[in-house]
Amino acid sequence: MPARGFLSLGQQENLQQAVRESADKHLRERALMLLLMNDGKTYQEISTFLGCAYRSVAYWCVHGDADNLESLKDKREQGNHRKVTELYVELLLNVLEKEPSELGYEFGRWSGELYCDRSL
């Protein structure tokens, strides 16, 4: 049985305010997870209610700190998840400066359709 009523009144108010006013949808969802857990809901019930993964609920209910809303923010939101390197950007810009026909395409200009056609 989950711990019921583990949050203080001040913590509940802060989390409720975050759910109502935060522009970050992930923060709102994670604050709601803590509030639902405080109401005695299980991870599975929270997962089903919110339509998210059980593991996400379990992670944020353990690692989220009701006294520190910053703890509910994902580290990826801080910009350390960049996958594109400077070299990649440089190569991409060099390709875009060329005509598609120079690279063997039958098209006369670059378009979104070329990106979607992986057979080329």
Side-chain angles (χ1 to χ4, degrees), residues 100 105-107 109-118 120:
Y105 292 107
E106 296 177 10
F107 299 95
R109 62 181 178 186
W110 295 112
S111 70
E113 294 173 7
L114 285 175
Y115 176 76
C116 297
D117 188 1
R118 305 229 184 240
L120 294 176

Side-chain angles (χ1 to χ4, degrees), residues 30-79:
R30 294 165 189 158
L32 185 55
M33 287 176 190
L34 292 177
L35 289 167
L36 290 169
M37 193 171 83
N38 187 61
D39 286 342
K41 305 293 185 209
T42 65
Y43 291 167
Q44 186 60 55
E45 290 170 328
I46 296 169
S47 171
T48 301
F49 179 74
L50 295 177
C52 61
Y54 178 93
R55 289 183 65 184
S56 294
V57 173
Y59 179 87
W60 291 109
C61 286
V62 169
H63 294 94
D65 181 1
D67 292 320
N68 179 11
L69 293 181
E70 289 297 312
S71 72
L72 297 176
K73 292 186 177 180
D74 199 336
K75 300 292 186 241
R76 292 177 292 181
E77 295 169 1
Q78 296 175 357

Side-chain angles (χ1 to χ4, degrees), residues 7-103:
L7 295 173
S8 70
L9 186 58
Q11 290 172 324
Q12 290 177 47
E13 289 172 356
N14 286 340
L15 290 170
Q16 289 169 351
Q17 182 178 2
V19 169
R20 283 191 308 270
E21 298 175 5
S22 177
D24 182 353
K25 67 179 183 175
H26 299 294
L27 179 79
R28 289 192 311 265
E29 182 177 77
R30 294 165 189 158
L32 185 55
M33 287 176 190
L34 292 177
L35 289 167
L36 290 169
M37 193 171 83
N38 187 61
D39 286 342
K41 305 293 185 209
T42 65
Y43 291 167
Q44 186 60 55
E45 290 170 328
I46 296 169
S47 171
T48 301
F49 179 74
L50 295 177
C52 61
Y54 178 93
R55 289 183 65 184
S56 294
V57 173
Y59 179 87
W60 291 109
C61 286
V62 169
H63 294 94
D65 181 1
D67 292 320
N68 179 11
L69 293 181
E70 289 297 312
S71 72
L72 297 176
K73 292 186 177 180
D74 199 336
K75 300 292 186 241
R76 292 177 292 181
E77 295 169 1
Q78 296 175 357
N80 62 353
H81 65 287
R82 187 174 177 147
K83 294 181 180 180
V84 175
T85 64
E86 294 298 323
L87 177 61
Y88 177 83
V89 171
E90 185 179 324
L91 290 171
L92 180 61
L93 292 174
N94 287 336
V95 167
L96 291 175
E97 289 174 0
K98 297 179 183 181
E99 294 294 323
S101 59
E102 293 178 48
L103 299 172

